Amino acid sequence: MAHFDLPPEQLQSYRAAAPAPADFDAFWAQTLAEARRFDLNATFTPVRTPFVTVDVFDVTFAGWAGQPVKGWLTLPRARTGRLPCVTEFVGYGGGRGLAGDHLGYASMGYAHLLMDTRGQGSGWRQGDTPDDAPGAGPQVPGVMTRGIQSRDTYYYRRVFTDAVRAVEAARAHPEVDGARVAVAGVSQGGGMALAAAGLCDVQLCLPDVPFLCHFDRAARLVDSFPYAEITAYLKTHRGRSADVFGVLAYFDGVHFAARAQAAALFSVGLMDEVCPPSTVYAAFNAYAGPREMRVYEFNRHEGGENVQALERAAFLARHWQP
Amino acid sequence: MAHFDLPPEQLQSYRAAAPAPADFDAFWAQTLAEARRFDLNATFTPVRTPFVTVDVFDVTFAGWAGQPVKGWLTLPRARTGRLPCVTEFVGYGGGRGLAGDHLGYASMGYAHLLMDTRGQGSGWRQGDTPDDAPGAGPQVPGVMTRGIQSRDTYYYRRVFTDAVRAVEAARAHPEVDGARVAVAGVSQGGGMALAAAGLCDVQLCLPDVPFLCHFDRAARLVDSFPYAEITAYLKTHRGRSADVFGVLAYFDGVHFAARAQAAALFSVGLMDEVCPPSTVYAAFNAYAGPREMRVYEFNRHEGGENVQALERAAFLARHWQP
Amino acid sequence: MAHFDLPPEQLQSYRAAAPAPADFDAFWAQTLAEARRFDLNATFTPVRTPFVTVDVFDVTFAGWAGQPVKGWLTLPRARTGRLPCVTEFVGYGGGRGLAGDHLGYASMGYAHLLMDTRGQGSGWRQGDTPDDAPGAGPQVPGVMTRGIQSRDTYYYRRVFTDAVRAVEAARAHPEVDGARVAVAGVSQGGGMALAAAGLCDVQLCLPDVPFLCHFDRAARLVDSFPYAEITAYLKTHRGRSADVFGVLAYFDGVHFAARAQAAALFSVGLMDEVCPPSTVYAAFNAYAGPREMRVYEFNRHEGGENVQALERAAFLARHWQP
Amino acid sequence: MAHFDLPPEQLQSYRAAAPAPADFDAFWAQTLAEARRFDLNATFTPVRTPFVTVDVFDVTFAGWAGQPVKGWLTLPRARTGRLPCVTEFVGYGGGRGLAGDHLGYASMGYAHLLMDTRGQGSGWRQGDTPDDAPGAGPQVPGVMTRGIQSRDTYYYRRVFTDAVRAVEAARAHPEVDGARVAVAGVSQGGGMALAAAGLCDVQLCLPDVPFLCHFDRAARLVDSFPYAEITAYLKTHRGRSADVFGVLAYFDGVHFAARAQAAALFSVGLMDEVCPPSTVYAAFNAYAGPREMRVYEFNRHEGGENVQALERAAFLARHWQP
Amino acid sequence: MAHFDLPPEQLQSYRAAAPAPADFDAFWAQTLAEARRFDLNATFTPVRTPFVTVDVFDVTFAGWAGQPVKGWLTLPRARTGRLPCVTEFVGYGGGRGLAGDHLGYASMGYAHLLMDTRGQGSGWRQGDTPDDAPGAGPQVPGVMTRGIQSRDTYYYRRVFTDAVRAVEAARAHPEVDGARVAVAGVSQGGGMALAAAGLCDVQLCLPDVPFLCHFDRAARLVDSFPYAEITAYLKTHRGRSADVFGVLAYFDGVHFAARAQAAALFSVGLMDEVCPPSTVYAAFNAYAGPREMRVYEFNRHEGGENVQALERAAFLARHWQP
Amino acid sequence: MAHFDLPPEQLQSYRAAAPAPADFDAFWAQTLAEARRFDLNATFTPVRTPFVTVDVFDVTFAGWAGQPVKGWLTLPRARTGRLPCVTEFVGYGGGRGLAGDHLGYASMGYAHLLMDTRGQGSGWRQGDTPDDAPGAGPQVPGVMTRGIQSRDTYYYRRVFTDAVRAVEAARAHPEVDGARVAVAGVSQGGGMALAAAGLCDVQLCLPDVPFLCHFDRAARLVDSFPYAEITAYLKTHRGRSADVFGVLAYFDGVHFAARAQAAALFSVGLMDEVCPPSTVYAAFNAYAGPREMRVYEFNRHEGGENVQALERAAFLARHWQP
């Protein structure tokens, strides 16, 4: 069915029922504290690209457990003063790509730090960051169930920590205005943006068709990957669903949204079978800061694409070019 | 099968057997002469975009039968003197998109004119150019068999004429250096680049995984769209295959290649089931000008993507930044 | 799911909410008036077939904008007096086929005029009628979005006008009894029959599993082609859905049904994912004339096939052999 | 791959290597002798249809083991003298349908007897003939492996016997000219026509895209049903392939072809993955009588459809309307 | 959709509305009485296997109409006294396999009789039992519609009779304790276990994800085979649905459940599209004896697999090892 | 195509051209030496199962880097003296399952140690062994490209080391006869058996339809997973194919086969698209010890299943029950 999820009028007020785990904040406070024991050690090495309008830097910073995480920082070549900065996260399976692949935000005059995602970066764009995965038990292919045996070993604990550290890396650059930092991303990138916005203080949050929200509904509603990695795991590991959803509750965008204060611009595709609209609205309706939604009624997971890019540009301009 | 076409060593010398129709050049000379009876009337209207490093212009020029064809001209904002220009054509089903969608070439310091494709621009990126299709008989969905009843009414007669006029439009801009014009494109865009290089005098030609080459082999070799539109037509219109391939011979990239003098950079995916490697090599091996090939052994129709983008940038730099 | 649409008891009273556009009748009155400025010019040329029980004539008449539209007239060879006539329209993608392909109605003793559909006739049966499509903007493959930029350029404006003219062509034949004319067709042919019954005065209307009804529900309910061409268009042309459904409202079988006076025999397949049952019932329940429905509970879009053929025969016999 | 079988030039001389079993003729002689111990008992009961140009009779005759087999006899209503008769067999899964479904041959002025296929008639058109299957061991769904444990219990032993008896039933009708009998059919119907032509004396044979030819090649070449029922059986019943192909050798159209004397008109689709071209040519090249082939280069198993219908009509006219 | 059927809370009380046919019990009493006119004639022939912990016997007994049905009896080699016995039935398409394929129950110390299913045993595991199918009319491939023209000729009449006779064969073995007999099976095997439990006196019943329950809902709810064989039949044989479901009512697991007294352990997969959960619950909620359900929330038709095997073992141990 | 690989007669002599890397043996000698620095520490803890004919032990031993690897040891309960032992490895994605899932070999009177595969055990049967994957760079989902950046970090370095250690663990059990050890497995399990046979001294090797052989041919020949994980990686990481196949050369079953001395029983499915026959024959034809092949002509990757189980049993009996 084309519009397979709740009808639009119900979506607008849809909320997930389950509260965050009682020690959600403590878990994350401790996780970040542990990560911050390592020096951030952000380095920005200029790289040669074919482009004359921007400067690109190869970024390395200490992510989870101090492990090196890669990224690209792209700055407009013609720049003065400290720049507002978009910290962007990548969709499932992709990596940071090549230097100069990301011209958009820098061409608008902003700094742009794109974080590589550990262990991914092979499905549709190259990545360069390993995932050291200690103690990760059996899993289905992909990363959705890597380390899902406990909240401590779960893959996204490392990734969301990286994301927070990426924001810190952006702020560590002398040409970035730390007061004007946005987090952004599409799909998994949107889920990471929500996590970052819930875990650290940023000004703006731009999650498009965000993934990693309302896991327990998604896994029962859709057959599509990557949520279906969870279902595949539970198919084999029968009787572990309470444990698994118990772990996932510490990584649910709905709970990060409820903690975020940044002004947010969401988007959703009403035919999205990958990140179904009710899961996106569950995060949106829980979002604690000021929030706007752009709805794409006849789109699947591609969402708004270049039309949403203009929406994002206008949203940033409203905040950054007053 | 993964590598379904000829083995690599045979590909390198593979050639299509059939010669061009005897009046191939006459047909095209007359077609272009008719088009040029209309004033080119190229207009470049500045448009507002979120970008500060480039200037974008909404382009209109008179294509086939003088009909208005749209495009975007993107120039680096910081520019001096006349710029070399890449004239780019779009893949099957897509359109010119939105102003500012194409930052790459301008960010390298070149002018970039992207031509919209008539009647397409709805499959994967927006377009704005109608296709007036007089006398087009029955067809299968798509454009591959629109007007295939005769070479005169065939859809790509109009499109290739538009492509030649797009080069003329680029040269008509006062900031473009007409001696340094490249034609480029991926898939259908690559086929159009070959057509343009065979029909007019350009300096460089960059066809990636080009479509519209060696139709008669492609239709018998692969089941994939869009070549399969031809097969679908012949499935219903039994007994018309000599006529249909007779018409297509006037539009075959192999024959345009044999007339092209521009230095060329091709690319091919050895697992490409859409534009099978033997059809790409048929054009490459027929190519009359200096030519280089980049081979992507484990890629399908996506070909080299951002890796090939760097190859193109290096190729342009070799010619334009001596 | 097998029975994916509304349950049977809700189908029986299901109605589309939206009224016809205020100027629906004016639009069509003007459209037909323009078409009738051209002489109908119906010609009937005898053709040789292998059959001895029927006579077949190659039909040409002036359709939209006076453009020639083809068809076959099949008459029982043994005939006396003026015959009742079934004017039939073809399903999506097909054409009139070959002379003698359509023996059924003539073998019942009736005249039978089968209209070719402009620009189609290549997907599953040969056609011979071009579609001159002036000013048709970007579109997805197929005809559902050809010219959808305005009601004036929309493809089905031309087709429905052709359909009305086909009825006039049938009546123009000296052996046809103009008072006993039925319109009939399966799927798209059913949609065209409804349009003809809404736009001109016919005695009987036999729409089987009709297409082109309740577009706005269909596009949100099913993923299947051809309705999905509309969705595909809106996927790329974001933000145009009000415009598109605004145009389609002038072509909706629900509104034609509300204007039809002919006695009607509908059919519906309750598992039909191409023309979902609720869209068929929306037309049926809006139908202004006397109406009967034949329900095929375990059929998809094939509907009743030869069983429904007998139903149609019995229906015609009831009216034409009293 | 589109053209997946041998290239056209090899097809034209392709022959199956294996000879018929030594007692092939004895087996069939005995099989038919046993069947003929039962009185043919052909009855022709007039049925009411909506058609005025033909008369239709419900046929019953004694097939294999004297079991009643159904069919339709359709005669032109206007008839004089004894008529030539086409005995037609049905494709896999289909049945005789409803009275009056088959107007073509009778509308050409010939008698037409369509034989129902035992136990099928549920996949795509209704049938009415049971298959009493004594001693049929385990099988995969379908009929290809029903009773394949021995040539005596194999399903097609019963079916081909029915086919021979159907010809006898046609000849038993007082208005049929027994000297002018053709056997015809598409796909499985074509295989049955070949069997009938090899097993009894008929004037003409019209097998279109015939199935049931060169089983051992087909099962190794294609994955498609119904040949794949054999593969599916051998997948489970490992080590039985010599037995299975040993049984099938008694039912191979190649061997029937080598015994047929009727003038034949074959057809083949070069993209046919159901009845691959080399298996059709294997029968054609073995065919002992005069033979012609119609080749459909861009067709799959649908073959020539209405175009081939005209070829058949012309072929019949050449023999029957001198 | 992942969870496509009713929500869990509705499943728990879901019941089928239709009562059993009035003469349901009479029909089965007569059917079994007829079968019992033939001597059971159970034979147990020792076969050589590679295994040293069990003894395997090739079983033959007289099933429906006295026809020989095969099976394997597997006994622990170390055994004393009379053993409780699990009589097991096989899933759709499979057969009894090879001697020694079934070590589980005998390795628990029980007797285990696995019944071969007539005419199947080719889809995924070898079988050896023919299905003599007298008077079976047209059918779709498979056995779901074999003989569906009447309750007397329907395939499962023979199969369920075989199942009852299999229980009798188990009890006929001198080392089996006739008071401690369980019937068991997965999918079709589960449906047969329900039938056996409803038709004869057994101590325990273990139907896993049972098939053959609540046919009329299943056929309207899911598109998957084998239930879809019924839909496929009705698609062609239009207007026969009341007859078909009338016949199936005599074979519905829901009605057998309502007559069963054995203690039962069911299982269900909430994502099971082959045997949808509501049809399993319909049987479970109608079950007359003591009953337990094991729910696998994230499983499809595979259900509980080795986890459920442990559940079954524990259930048997509770009853058989007190 | 059904038989898509080389014809049988070519398969029988097919050999891979590339030699093993010069330091292949040194690499593995060092790898194993490093692993053996850790104490094997094999523990065998009895577990309760429902079975009375066997005893099952939960196995833990030190695999690669001393990390704990799990397994099940199953012994016939009635046993005397030291038993020959089958060490078995699991197919891709599966795990060791539950205690008692593996009754076959112990029921033949042998010891049976089934090794869990690190990090898998979630795709189709439960596993319990984590994969500590230090320094594993970007990868596609699955394990085929985990750590493929170097031979040192490649996933199968750890797995094959575990396999050798599993043999050592089997031998460490006091009831196992270390002189009579076989390695066995299906698919990935077969590849691991080959690796173990090439890396340590075992008496017998039973690889069924082995995976992980002749990577460079497999990746170019088939599109199927898991070999396609390699292709997917190279699709994104363009230009890395020499590196990747360079790493894989250290893990190729062809090279292990050339070093193995154990008597071997292979099997192959000629329609196997997962482990294509030419890759299996490449290992078989390189195999240095005595070797036999069982060919399943009409099977895909399921190969011989229970028929091959009997072949394995007979092969073991020949060596172990003289």
Side-chain angles (χ1 to χ4, degrees), chain D residues 159-185:
Chain D
V159 170
F160 290 173
T161 300
D162 294 348
V164 170
R165 298 293 268 170
V167 171
E168 297 173 359
R171 283 182 169 136
H173 193 277
E175 296 187 79
V176 166
D177 175 0
R180 289 185 294 165
V181 169
V183 287

Side-chain angles (χ1 to χ4, degrees), chain F residues 239-293:
Chain F
R240 293 229 35 230
S241 78
D243 294 348
V244 161
F245 289 115
V247 166
L248 289 170
Y250 289 89
F251 303 90
D252 194 319
V254 170
H255 303 323
F256 291 118
R259 282 149 179 81
Q261 299 300 329
L265 178 69
F266 281 72
S267 67
V268 65
L270 295 195
M271 291 175 168
D272 188 345
E273 292 175 339
V274 175
C275 296
S278 57
T279 63
V280 174
Y281 270 99
F284 179 71
N285 288 328
Y287 197 85
R291 58 193 166 88
E292 301 172 48
M293 176 68 92

Side-chain angles (χ1 to χ4, degrees), chain A residues 1-4 271 273 296-300 302-308, chain C residues 1 4-5 216 218-223 230-231 234-236 238 241 245:
Chain A
M1 237 186 280
H3 279 167
F4 66 97
M271 291 176 167
E273 292 175 339
Y296 295 96
E297 189 183 359
F298 291 94
N299 287 86
R300 299 181 178 238
E302 74 282 352
E305 294 180 319
N306 58 1
V307 171
Q308 182 65 10
Chain C
M1 238 187 279
F4 66 96
D5 203 337
D216 50 337
R220 289 174 174 92
L221 182 62
V222 292
D223 295 319
I230 299 167
T231 317
L234 292 173
K235 176 190 161 189
T236 304
R238 292 172 183 85
S241 77
F245 290 115

